[in-house]
Amino acid sequence: MSETESLSELPLNRSNTTKSVSSEIPIEIEIVSEEEMALLEAALALASVPANASAICSPLRSFHSKARSIQSITVLSKRTFSGLTEPDIEDSGNFASTQKKNKNTESFLHRFRKKKGLSVTDITSTEWCEKQMEFVLLHSKRRTNKAMKTGSARHAKLEEEVVKKVKVQVKSKEDTWALKFLNFIIGANQLLFEGLTRELPIIGFAEGVWMVGVIDEIRIPATETDRNPILVDTKTRVRDTLPAEPQRRNGRLQLMCYKYIWDNLVADNFPSQKFFDFFTLNPYSILSDELRERTADSGFPADTLDDIVRLFRNTCSILPPAHDQLLLRYEFQKDNSLLGEDHFAFDSDWLKNQIHGCLEFWLGEREACYTPEEERWKCRFCQFASICPTNNGLDSTPSPTNTGPDSTPHNTNSNSTLS
C-alpha cells in the first residue's frame, strides 16, 4: 500500500453526538465496508452449482433439525413466503470434502486476505457456494445490479439517522486502522449512552483467523433487567415476499459470526501483538496530526496506534456480551415496509461447524465444493455459470418460485459487508 495521503471519513457524530470513520480511498488493510458486504452477499444469489459435479460435498445445510435457531418468524402485512425462493447463506455448514489440495499451493486466505483479514461476508459467501467464491477470487469481482445498489442506499440512509461523518486525512495504514478502532469506540459509547448504534466496524480473532465485519445495528433492550445488546441485520427485498430457507440460513450465519466476534472482544480475547504482527503494523507509529486532533475532540486523546488499541480494549471490557437472541429484519425495497422479522437463538456448535468448514476451503485443505443438488437452482443466477464445470443440466433442474437476481439476500446491502 502506498503511504501517500488519502481521505477517510470520521463520523462527526452518532445521533448528534458521535464521530466515526470510514475510508473513501482503497487501502490494503481496509476492513470490508457495508457496501462491499452488500456486493458480496447480494451476489450470493448468483451462486453457481454444477449438475454433474464430481466434487459435490454434503455440507451441514440443515440448520439443525431441532430448529434451535429459528424461534419465530413474524410475517407482517399480507405478504407470504416465496416458496423455495432465495438463497440463504446461513445454512451451509461443514463442507466435508475428500478432495485435498496440494500442500504446496498457497492458500486463498494467504493470497487474498493476508492484509485485510477474513470478512464475515467471506464466510457467508463461501457457505453459499464455495465454487462461486473461488471464481470471484481467481477471475473477477461480482457484478453490481440495481437491487444491490438500492439495498446499499437504504443502509446508508439508516446509518445517517444516527451517524454524521466528517472527512479525515490519513497518511499510513496505522492511521487507517486507528480510524476503524476509533469508530468502534465511538459507536460503543453511543450504544451505552443512547441505546442504539449502527454500522459498527468490528474485528476479532476467532478460530485461529482474524475476522472483520460491520454490524448493521445494535440495540440495548428497553427493559431494566436485560441489558445485553441485541444484534440486528436489515435486509432489503426486491419482491414483497420473505426469502427461502437458504437465504434465511445465510443471514443467521452472518449474525452469529458477529455475536461470536463481539463476545470474544468483551471477554478481552483480543491478542494485540498478534494483531500488529499479522497486519505488519508499527504500534508506536505517530498518527497524523488531523487524526490526533479528531481523537482528542472525540474525547479519546491518542498519539499512536497502540494508544488507540488500548482504548479499544478498555472499551470492550465495559461492554456486556451480546444477547443470545438475534434478529433479522426484511424490508420491501419499494417502500421500505417491514415484510417480517426472524428471531432466532445463537447456536455456538452449529456456528463453529460452519466456520471450520469454510476455513478448510480458505486454508487450502481441500478443493472447493459445489452447491448441493437440491439447491442447484442457484446456478441459474450465477455470473460464472458459463465457465463452471458443473453447469450442464441446468435446464432440467427445478428452480424455486419467485427466484432470481432480484431475490437477493438483504444485503443487497446485503449481507453485509463488514465488515
Side-chain angles (χ1 to χ4, degrees):
M1 175 189 93
S2 169
E3 297 290 344
T4 55
E5 299 182 0
S6 63
L7 289 179
S8 291
E9 292 179 352
L10 175 65
L12 191 44
N13 61 66
R14 291 180 176 263
S15 189
N16 299 325
T17 57
T18 310
K19 301 182 180 179
S20 68
V21 184
S22 67
S23 63
E24 293 181 344
I25 296 182
I27 297 182
E28 281 188 328
I29 55 166
E30 185 174 50
I31 291 180
V32 175
S33 69
E34 187 61 30
E35 289 184 1
E36 291 172 327
M37 292 178 70
L39 298 182
L40 286 171
E41 291 189 66
L44 297 176
L46 302 176
S48 70
V49 189
N52 300 317
S54 57
I56 293 179
C57 310
S58 16
L60 302 179
R61 295 267 170 193
S62 56
F63 186 66
H64 282 219
S65 54
K66 299 178 182 177
R68 287 177 55 188
S69 69
I70 298 186
Q71 296 299 331
S72 65
I73 295 182
T74 304
V75 183
L76 305 182
S77 305
K78 297 180 181 179
R79 291 160 180 142
T80 58
F81 285 94
S82 53
L84 292 175
T85 65
E86 309 165 317
D88 278 353
I89 308 166
E90 334 147 9
D91 229 356
S92 48
N94 295 345
F95 291 90
S97 173
T98 57
Q99 291 195 333
K100 301 296 181 179
K101 296 191 71 173
N102 187 327
K103 293 296 183 181
N104 295 322
T105 302
E106 191 176 33
S107 72
F108 286 138
L109 182 67
H110 188 270
R111 291 174 63 187
F112 300 104
R113 297 295 184 264
K114 174 64 177 175
K115 298 179 180 179
K116 298 171 61 174
L118 194 67
S119 74
V120 171
T121 298
D122 289 330
I123 295 294
T124 56
S125 299
T126 302
E127 185 276 345
W128 184 256
C129 177
E130 291 186 4
K131 196 62 181 179
Q132 184 193 50
M133 186 74 254
E134 180 181 70
F135 282 136
V136 169
L137 294 171
L138 297 179
H139 298 290
S140 65
K141 295 181 180 180
R142 302 175 191 269
R143 290 193 291 261
T144 305
N145 58 32
K146 182 179 179 181
M148 293 160 63
K149 292 178 180 178
T150 301
S152 296
R154 173 58 178 162
H155 278 275
K157 184 175 181 181
L158 288 172
E159 180 184 15
E160 289 170 1
E161 293 177 358
V162 296
V163 179
K164 289 186 178 179
K165 296 179 179 180
V166 293
K167 292 182 179 180
V168 175
Q169 198 169 57
V170 296
K171 298 182 177 180
S172 67
K173 57 186 179 182
E174 285 79 11
D175 284 353
T176 301
W177 276 106
L179 290 180
K180 297 178 191 300
F181 286 120
L182 182 59
N183 272 332
F184 178 92
I185 295 169
I186 292 172
N189 276 272
Q190 180 187 28
L191 175 68
L192 294 174
F193 287 101
E194 301 177 20
L196 173 71
T197 193
R198 288 180 178 146
E199 303 304 318
L200 188 75
I202 190 169
I203 175 173
F205 192 69
E207 301 305 307
V209 298
W210 286 99
M211 295 179 63
V212 299
V214 179
I215 305 175
D216 266 15
E217 181 177 316
I218 309 176
R219 308 171 182 172
I220 296 292
T223 63
E224 303 219 354
T225 56
D226 187 356
R227 304 302 289 170
N228 295 86
I230 299 174
L231 306 188
V232 182
D233 192 82
T234 298
K235 299 193 178 296
T236 63
R237 304 274 303 158
V238 172
R239 303 185 183 185
D240 59 353
T241 57
L242 289 173
E245 174 56 24
Q247 282 177 299
R248 297 198 302 274
R249 179 186 66 219
N250 197 237
R252 294 177 215 126
L253 174 60
Q254 178 187 347
L255 276 177
M256 286 192 203
C257 283
Y258 290 149
K259 173 176 165 55
Y260 188 38
I261 299 172
W262 175 281
D263 288 353
N264 274 344
L265 290 175
V266 303
D268 197 25
N269 291 331
F270 187 88
S272 301
Q273 192 57 53
K274 281 187 178 180
F275 167 74
F276 296 132
D277 292 343
F278 182 85
F279 293 105
T280 59
L281 300 167
N282 178 0
Y284 306 110
S285 172
I286 300 299
L287 304 177
S288 68
D289 292 341
E290 186 173 359
L291 182 54
R292 280 182 289 154
E293 180 182 345
R294 291 295 181 185
T295 59
D297 290 344
S298 298
F300 312 107
D303 294 324
T304 67
L305 177 59
D306 185 63
D307 292 338
I308 289 287
V309 170
R310 290 176 185 275
L311 288 169
F312 167 73
R313 293 184 64 176
N314 288 339
T315 300
C316 291
S317 69
I318 63 174
L319 295 170
H323 204 291
D324 280 342
Q325 289 292 315
L326 305 170
L327 174 61
L328 276 173
R329 301 178 66 257
Y330 294 98
E331 289 185 354
F332 186 30
Q333 282 193 357
K334 185 176 181 180
D335 57 11
N336 297 328
S337 61
L338 186 62
L339 296 173
E341 295 185 334
D342 184 354
H343 299 263
F344 59 97
F346 178 71
D347 187 333
S348 178
D349 292 339
W350 180 82
L351 174 65
K352 288 182 179 180
N353 283 337
Q354 303 298 309
I355 294 176
H356 291 164
C358 290
L359 288 181
E360 288 178 3
F361 162 78
W362 280 94
L363 294 174
E365 296 176 0
R366 58 169 172 75
E367 298 290 342
C369 291
Y370 298 99
T371 299
E373 186 173 357
E374 64 272 18
E375 293 184 13
R376 288 187 196 169
W377 49 266
K378 296 174 183 177
C379 306
R380 295 177 181 276
F381 313 103
C382 179
Q383 72 188 76
F384 305 106
S386 62
I387 61 174
C388 182
T390 58
N391 66 349
N392 49 351
L394 289 183
D395 291 339
S396 60
T397 305
S399 64
T401 58
N402 198 28
T403 313
D406 59 348
S407 302
T408 54
H410 148 59
N411 259 340
T412 272
N413 122 23
S414 241
N415 310 274
S416 210
T417 102
L418 282 49
S419 125

